[in-house]
Amino acid sequence: MELWFTEKQTDHVGITCKTRGTLMRKQSQYQEVAVIETEQFDRVLLLDGVIQTTIKDEFIYHEMIAHVPLAVHPHPRRVAVIGGGDGGSIREIIKHGSVEKAVLVEIDEQVIEASRQYLPEISCGLDDDRVEVLIADGIAHIRESKNTYDVIIIDSTDPVGPAVGLFTEEFYRDVYEALTDQGIMVAQTESPYYEPELVQRTFARINAGFPTTRLYIAYIPSYPSGMWSFTLGSKQCDPLSIDDGKLQALKTRYYTPDVHRAAFCLPRFVQELVTP
Ligand code: AG3
């Protein structure tokens, strides 16, 4: 018997994967947490039936959400990840020698538990000495942190349920205050193809507080439309000015200094979403 998993990505389109089995499935206080095994993507983390990350293509998302801001900041020492309980962003952050402390603020402990047990390739960085794991509300943590972090990465789920507050102008204002003078934030901001209004609105909200706001793109096969956006807000640093030499030693599979620059070159329909 063949078993297939489908995520309904929009009201009219889904992604369907041939499945070997379910490794775990558990209702947490916030959502249903599951790890399934698929033929194409190996193990897949699902939250309320939505694909968060997969063993095969997670490197693209995690490298692009972490290395882009860390390359732009001249000397990132303190970094926070809001959400991202699988640990993939943390694993990439600690590849940077300048980082002294990386704080993961995840609201749902069950996501961390499931990832530690079933996705060790992704969660492995969580045990590093420089990493602190907080089971806490990221919105409250950021509100209470002032002038604390050089880089803040918002590695959230889609803007439904607990993540809605991570897409508001008020939250981005608190992120600005939580950043140091040369601080940089990045948020995952969904598919420009399926969610153009969301991309446009979120960009405007970040841009309302940050002097420099830029959208960049990566291609992630398991996410809706494959084309995925990230929005970067910067207090001082130019997102396109990076020190290639410093980045040569990074062990990556997607990110390179050339990919960094290319990621900010947007197809016209995407550029139009962020041009006033
Ligand atoms: N967070 C973004 C997942 C969004 C995917 N959306 C979807 N499949 N509809 C990923 C967390 C990885 N650390």
Side-chain angles (χ1 to χ4, degrees):
M1 181 181 67
E2 288 189 356
L3 286 174
W4 293 75
F5 161 81
T6 295
E7 174 191 334
K8 248 184 77 200
Q9 296 179 323
T10 74
D11 287 344
H12 313 288
V13 174
I15 183 173
T16 300
C17 309
K18 192 172 175 186
T19 303
R20 286 192 214 123
T22 303
L23 297 173
M24 64 85 62
R25 186 173 180 179
K26 192 170 179 178
Q27 186 64 40
S28 80
Q29 196 186 328
Y30 300 98
Q31 54 210 338
E32 184 193 69
V33 182
V35 179
I36 62 171
E37 207 167 3
T38 68
E39 298 288 350
Q40 184 68 52
F41 294 110
D42 199 335
R43 279 153 285 137
V44 176
L45 174 67
L46 305 173
L47 297 178
D48 285 338
V50 175
I51 297 178
Q52 298 302 314
T53 198
T54 87
I55 290 293
K56 290 291 190 199
D57 71 354
E58 58 89 9
F59 67 99
I60 305 171
Y61 177 92
H62 291 126
E63 289 181 16
M64 289 302 280
I65 204 170
H67 298 312
V68 171
L70 289 167
V72 173
H73 195 287
H75 196 87
R77 290 188 182 83
R78 295 180 59 91
V79 183
V81 176
I82 308 304
D86 51 75
S89 298
I90 290 283
R91 184 196 61 206
E92 295 306 312
I93 289 165
I94 58 177
K95 289 181 181 172
H96 292 255
S98 68
V99 172
E100 293 162 8
K101 187 157 187 121
V103 181
L104 179 80
V105 191
E106 166 63 55
I107 200 165
D108 192 345
E109 189 170 16
Q110 297 303 325
V111 175
I112 300 178
E113 284 295 301
S115 306
R116 281 192 189 276
Q117 194 167 350
Y118 297 101
L119 309 168
E121 305 92 326
I122 302 177
S123 60
C124 51
L126 294 176
D127 293 320
D128 190 273
D129 286 345
R130 293 171 289 163
V131 175
E132 183 181 354
V133 176
L134 299 176
I135 311 297
D137 176 3
I139 296 174
H141 178 82
I142 288 298
R143 198 187 302 126
E144 289 151 16
S145 308
K146 300 280 176 240
N147 192 25
T148 306
Y149 296 110
D150 301 315
V151 173
I152 296 175
I153 292 173
I154 302 150
D155 184 4
S156 74
T157 53
D158 295 339
V160 281
V164 170
L166 300 174
F167 287 79
T168 63
E169 197 168 319
E170 188 187 357
F171 174 66
Y172 299 132
R173 241 182 277 126
D174 292 339
V175 168
Y176 186 93
E177 296 298 328
L179 286 168
T180 52
D181 288 350
Q182 292 185 295
I184 297 165
M185 65 150 280
V186 168
Q188 77 84 4
T189 47
E190 307 283 314
S191 163
Y193 185 78
Y194 285 133
E195 302 282 354
E197 284 96 12
L198 176 79
V199 168
Q200 195 166 31
R201 198 165 57 234
T202 310
F203 186 91
R205 288 174 182 174
I206 294 172
N207 197 32
F210 283 84
T212 302
T213 308
R214 296 290 298 252
L215 193 82
Y216 65 92
I217 289 235
Y219 296 88
I220 305 171
S222 65
Y223 285 179
S225 84
M227 178 195 260
W228 209 249
S229 76
F230 301 85
T231 309
L232 181 150
S234 172
K235 287 192 176 184
Q236 289 179 13
C237 307
D238 171 4
L240 286 166
S241 143
I242 52 172
D243 174 358
D244 287 33
K246 183 180 99 174
L247 302 165
Q248 291 312 339
L250 268 187
K251 276 218 159 42
T252 57
R253 290 172 64 207
Y254 189 91
Y255 182 86
T256 67
D258 282 337
V259 165
H260 182 117
R261 289 179 282 268
F264 290 91
C265 295
L266 304 174
R268 194 184 300 276
F269 82 95
V270 184
Q271 184 63 53
E272 281 171 1
L273 298 175
V274 298
T275 312

